């Protein structure tokens, strides 16, 4: 496997959040990084430079002056990062560590970082405070060509694995709430399921029955469930599907064919929901901006 281990200064900006102009100033004034040069004199950097910049950024965000950081060795900088880890910086450090693991396709580093997080936080806290911000960053990194789809699939699989493990732990818990049943699905050609998988976990944790159907479910299949359950809340996550010019027609059809009784409801999340004409929605359809907002309504 050819792992990307050479980065442009724009890649470093995207991964660290430090502007390329600032990185150049830090290099020139404090010699914090030693970029390599192409034949045409363009800067490029290795993984070690990226990791060092992420550590320096964390320290700088905690009040350390660049002039002081520049006087320490790489080993001392790494130790300083460990020394200043606080409740907030644990999250930032973990996100940086997971980004490095992703860039190196290093499953062991991912697992070590996750295990260390579990010593400080619950799985719920890790998902909200680390995994969600990480996935949001990854989406931007992919759009700017800093990472490839392979990086995104690699890290998504590992997060999915942790979700499945934690879901398995609670799926045998007794159902304490019986006023409604949740059915979770993704529409045709939608495959981004991590958010929906986490909602499945939270719904069961709250004591409800949650039926997870997964990705790319034809609408007509949902009607079959209505023969078995009353008071259904269908939950879906629209990340890329239905497409912008199809979403209102999809919801009109869903209303006519699935929400054609007084007890069924539809809860929606995902970035495509911003294209919904909310004036056409019936009261039984609710759009949530975030996972936490949806969980608060359970």
């Amino acid at each position: 496997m050819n792992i990307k281990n050479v980065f442009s200064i724009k890649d470093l900006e995207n991964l660290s959040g430090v502007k390329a102009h600032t990185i150049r100033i830090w290099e020139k004034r404090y010699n914090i990084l030693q970029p390599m040069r192409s034949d045409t004199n363009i800067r490029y950097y290795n993984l070690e430079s990226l990791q060092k910049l992420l550590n320096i950024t964390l320290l700088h965000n905690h009040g350390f002056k660049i002039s002081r950081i520049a006087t320490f060795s790489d080993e001392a900088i790494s130790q300083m990062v460990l020394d200043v880890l606080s409740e907030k910086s644990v999250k930032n450090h973990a996100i940086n560590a997971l980004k490095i693991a992703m860039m190196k396709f290093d499953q062991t580093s991912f697992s070590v970082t996750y295990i260390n997080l579990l010593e400080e936080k619950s799985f719920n806290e890790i998902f909200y405070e680390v995994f969600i911000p990480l996935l949001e960053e990854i989406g931007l990194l992919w759009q700017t060509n800093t990472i490839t789809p392979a990086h995104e699939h690699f890290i998504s699989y590992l997060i999915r694995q942790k979700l499945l493990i934690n879901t398995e732990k609670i799926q045998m818990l007794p159902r304490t709430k019986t006023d409604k049943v949740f059915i979770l699905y993704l529409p045709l050609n939608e495959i981004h399921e991590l958010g929906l998988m986490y909602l499945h976990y939270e719904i069961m944790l709250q004591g409800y029955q949650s039926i997870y159907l997964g990705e790319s479910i034809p609408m007509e299949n949902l009607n079959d469930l209505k023969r078995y359950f009353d008071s259904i809340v269908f939950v879906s996550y629209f990340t890329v599907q239905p497409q912008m010019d199809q979403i209102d027609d999809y919801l009109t059809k869903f209303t006519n064919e699935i929400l054609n009784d007084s007890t069924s409801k539809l809860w929606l999340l995902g970035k495509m929901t911003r294209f919904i004409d909310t004036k056409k929605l019936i009261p039984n359809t609710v759009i949530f901006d975030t996972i936490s907002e949806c969980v608060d309504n359970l």
Side-chain angles (χ1 to χ4, degrees):
M1 177 185 293
N2 294 320
I3 298 174
K4 179 176 180 178
N5 54 18
V6 174
F7 305 92
S8 68
I9 196 166
K10 191 65 178 177
D11 289 336
L12 260 61
E13 176 181 304
N14 292 333
L15 284 158
S16 69
V18 180
K19 294 292 185 185
H21 174 69
T22 302
I23 295 173
R24 290 191 190 97
I25 291 174
W26 288 358
E27 282 177 12
K28 184 176 181 180
R29 194 171 296 169
Y30 304 111
N31 199 34
I32 62 164
L33 299 176
Q34 291 77 45
M36 297 165 281
R37 297 276 182 171
S38 69
D39 294 340
T40 54
N41 206 34
I42 295 174
R43 288 175 174 85
Y44 64 95
Y45 304 81
N46 57 20
L47 268 169
E48 289 71 27
S49 293
L50 169 60
Q51 191 153 16
K52 183 178 181 181
L53 179 61
L54 291 172
N55 283 338
I56 289 170
T57 302
L58 187 144
L59 292 174
H60 186 54
N61 290 341
H62 280 76
F64 288 83
K65 293 182 181 298
I66 293 297
S67 56
R68 182 187 172 197
I69 299 171
T71 64
F72 292 100
S73 67
D74 293 356
E75 293 76 15
I77 289 172
S78 296
Q79 186 57 51
M80 287 166 67
V81 167
L82 294 175
D83 292 342
V84 303
L85 287 183
S86 63
E87 181 62 24
K88 185 173 188 306
S89 61
V90 162
K91 293 182 288 187
N92 295 334
H93 183 65
I95 290 171
N96 286 342
L98 293 176
K99 278 194 283 191
I100 291 292
M102 175 185 68
M103 300 310 298
K104 296 166 69 175
F105 294 96
D106 189 342
Q107 184 170 320
T108 301
S109 293
F110 178 96
S111 297
V112 169
T113 302
Y114 177 73
I115 290 167
N116 290 338
L117 279 169
L118 281 176
E119 294 178 1
E120 304 277 340
K121 300 177 179 296
S122 67
F123 175 70
N124 308 60
E125 290 172 326
I126 293 171
F127 195 87
Y128 281 118
E129 298 176 12
V130 178
F131 287 164
I132 288 179
L134 175 66
L135 290 167
E136 288 173 346
E137 280 198 47
I138 286 171
L140 294 172
L141 294 172
W142 181 79
Q143 290 170 28
T144 57
N145 294 320
T146 305
I147 63 172
T148 68
H151 290 106
E152 183 181 16
H153 285 289
F154 171 78
I155 207 77
S156 296
Y157 166 75
L158 293 175
I159 294 173
R160 180 181 289 108
Q161 187 183 63
K162 302 310 177 192
L163 269 167
L164 289 170
I165 290 169
N166 283 275
T167 299
E168 185 176 24
K169 289 177 182 177
I170 64 168
Q171 65 186 7
M172 296 303 292
L173 294 176
R175 301 292 159 242
T176 57
K177 299 176 182 175
T178 58
D179 57 307
K180 51 183 171 277
V181 172
F182 290 85
I183 295 175
L184 282 65
Y185 81 99
L186 296 177
L188 279 178
N189 302 315
E190 178 63 80
I191 60 171
H192 297 80
E193 60 177 338
L194 286 179
L196 199 69
M197 289 176 69
Y198 183 74
L199 280 171
H200 179 52
Y201 165 82
E202 281 279 13
I203 291 166
M204 287 196 295
L205 197 62
Q206 297 284 339
Y208 287 104
Q209 181 175 2
S210 180
I211 299 167
Y212 190 85
L213 302 182
E215 61 188 57
S216 202
I217 300 297
M219 189 185 299
E220 53 269 22
N221 290 10
L222 300 176
N223 251 328
D224 296 338
L225 279 297
K226 294 175 69 175
R227 291 188 288 142
Y228 300 95
F229 303 102
D230 298 319
S231 299
I232 295 174
V233 179
F234 294 95
V235 184
S236 195
Y237 220 105
F238 293 178
T239 302
V240 296
Q241 295 290 338
Q243 294 178 9
M244 181 173 57
D245 58 347
Q246 300 169 345
I247 196 163
D248 286 329
D249 289 341
Y250 178 92
L251 291 176
T252 297
K253 184 178 179 184
F254 196 98
T255 298
N256 294 333
E257 297 185 11
I258 309 297
L259 301 182
N260 53 4
D261 58 71
S262 60
T263 58
S264 297
K265 295 181 180 179
L266 175 63
W267 289 7
L268 296 173
L269 301 93
K271 62 183 182 182
M272 293 307 294
T273 60
R274 68 180 184 269
F275 298 113
I276 293 172
D277 184 351
T278 54
K279 300 187 196 71
K280 297 180 180 178
L281 292 180
I282 64 170
N284 281 13
T285 303
V286 183
I287 299 172
F288 297 103
D289 292 329
T290 63
I291 290 176
S292 58
E293 182 186 350
C294 184
V295 171
D296 289 343
N297 279 269
L298 290 175

